[in-house]
mmCIF file of all heavy atoms in Angstrom:
data_model
loop_
_atom_site.group_PDB
_atom_site.id
_atom_site.type_symbol
_atom_site.label_atom_id
_atom_site.label_comp_id
_atom_site.label_asym_id
_atom_site.label_seq_id
_atom_site.Cartn_x
_atom_site.Cartn_y
_atom_site.Cartn_z
ATOM 1 N N ASN A 571 -7.656 25.257 3.925
ATOM 2 C CA ASN A 571 -8.866 25.478 4.716
ATOM 3 C C ASN A 571 -9.355 24.233 5.449
ATOM 4 O O ASN A 571 -10.391 24.274 6.108
ATOM 5 C CB ASN A 571 -9.980 26.025 3.828
ATOM 6 C CG ASN A 571 -9.634 27.387 3.275
ATOM 7 O OD1 ASN A 571 -8.995 28.194 3.950
ATOM 8 N ND2 ASN A 571 -10.032 27.653 2.046
ATOM 9 N N ASP A 572 -8.620 23.144 5.339
ATOM 10 C CA ASP A 572 -9.004 21.906 6.018
ATOM 11 C C ASP A 572 -8.600 21.996 7.486
ATOM 12 O O ASP A 572 -7.436 21.854 7.842
ATOM 13 C CB ASP A 572 -8.336 20.706 5.348
ATOM 14 C CG ASP A 572 -8.810 19.372 5.908
ATOM 15 O OD1 ASP A 572 -9.223 19.322 7.091
ATOM 16 O OD2 ASP A 572 -8.751 18.381 5.176
ATOM 17 N N ARG A 573 -9.569 22.250 8.339
ATOM 18 C CA ARG A 573 -9.298 22.415 9.775
ATOM 19 C C ARG A 573 -8.890 21.104 10.439
ATOM 20 O O ARG A 573 -8.171 21.109 11.430
ATOM 21 C CB ARG A 573 -10.515 23.004 10.475
ATOM 22 C CG ARG A 573 -10.791 24.415 10.053
ATOM 23 C CD ARG A 573 -11.945 24.981 10.798
ATOM 24 N NE ARG A 573 -12.226 26.329 10.309
ATOM 25 C CZ ARG A 573 -13.230 27.047 10.716
ATOM 26 N NH1 ARG A 573 -14.064 26.562 11.615
ATOM 27 N NH2 ARG A 573 -13.425 28.251 10.224
ATOM 28 N N ASN A 574 -9.358 20.005 9.900
ATOM 29 C CA ASN A 574 -9.027 18.708 10.483
ATOM 30 C C ASN A 574 -7.524 18.447 10.439
ATOM 31 O O ASN A 574 -6.933 17.996 11.418
ATOM 32 C CB ASN A 574 -9.786 17.595 9.761
ATOM 33 C CG ASN A 574 -9.634 16.261 10.433
ATOM 34 O OD1 ASN A 574 -9.720 16.159 11.657
ATOM 35 N ND2 ASN A 574 -9.398 15.225 9.651
ATOM 36 N N VAL A 575 -6.895 18.745 9.306
ATOM 37 C CA VAL A 575 -5.459 18.494 9.192
ATOM 38 C C VAL A 575 -4.681 19.431 10.116
ATOM 39 O O VAL A 575 -3.648 19.042 10.659
ATOM 40 C CB VAL A 575 -4.975 18.572 7.727
ATOM 41 C CG1 VAL A 575 -4.822 19.996 7.248
ATOM 42 C CG2 VAL A 575 -3.661 17.830 7.570
ATOM 43 N N CYS A 576 -5.177 20.633 10.335
ATOM 44 C CA CYS A 576 -4.522 21.549 11.281
ATOM 45 C C CYS A 576 -4.506 20.944 12.680
ATOM 46 O O CYS A 576 -3.488 21.003 13.379
ATOM 47 C CB CYS A 576 -5.232 22.899 11.311
ATOM 48 S SG CYS A 576 -5.079 23.838 9.791
ATOM 49 N N LYS A 577 -5.622 20.351 13.073
ATOM 50 C CA LYS A 577 -5.711 19.720 14.391
ATOM 51 C C LYS A 577 -4.774 18.515 14.490
ATOM 52 O O LYS A 577 -4.146 18.291 15.522
ATOM 53 C CB LYS A 577 -7.150 19.291 14.677
ATOM 54 C CG LYS A 577 -8.091 20.448 14.904
ATOM 55 C CD LYS A 577 -9.502 19.952 15.127
ATOM 56 C CE LYS A 577 -10.477 21.105 15.209
ATOM 57 N NZ LYS A 577 -11.866 20.644 15.337
ATOM 58 N N ILE A 578 -4.701 17.749 13.420
ATOM 59 C CA ILE A 578 -3.815 16.583 13.411
ATOM 60 C C ILE A 578 -2.364 17.020 13.573
ATOM 61 O O ILE A 578 -1.617 16.461 14.380
ATOM 62 C CB ILE A 578 -3.992 15.758 12.115
ATOM 63 C CG1 ILE A 578 -5.380 15.112 12.091
ATOM 64 C CG2 ILE A 578 -2.895 14.703 11.982
ATOM 65 C CD1 ILE A 578 -5.743 14.475 10.767
ATOM 66 N N ILE A 579 -1.954 18.036 12.819
ATOM 67 C CA ILE A 579 -0.579 18.538 12.896
ATOM 68 C C ILE A 579 -0.273 19.048 14.296
ATOM 69 O O ILE A 579 0.778 18.731 14.863
ATOM 70 C CB ILE A 579 -0.340 19.629 11.829
ATOM 71 C CG1 ILE A 579 -0.326 18.998 10.436
ATOM 72 C CG2 ILE A 579 0.958 20.387 12.093
ATOM 73 C CD1 ILE A 579 -0.353 19.998 9.294
ATOM 74 N N GLU A 580 -1.192 19.801 14.874
ATOM 75 C CA GLU A 580 -0.991 20.320 16.235
ATOM 76 C C GLU A 580 -0.854 19.181 17.238
ATOM 77 O O GLU A 580 -0.021 19.236 18.147
ATOM 78 C CB GLU A 580 -2.163 21.217 16.637
ATOM 79 C CG GLU A 580 -2.185 22.549 15.923
ATOM 80 C CD GLU A 580 -3.428 23.360 16.246
ATOM 81 O OE1 GLU A 580 -4.141 23.034 17.225
ATOM 82 O OE2 GLU A 580 -3.703 24.312 15.498
#
Side-chain angles (χ1 to χ4, degrees):
N571 296 324
D572 186 333
R573 293 183 183 176
N574 188 44
V575 78
C576 292
K577 290 178 186 176
I578 293 170
I579 290 169
E580 288 175 15

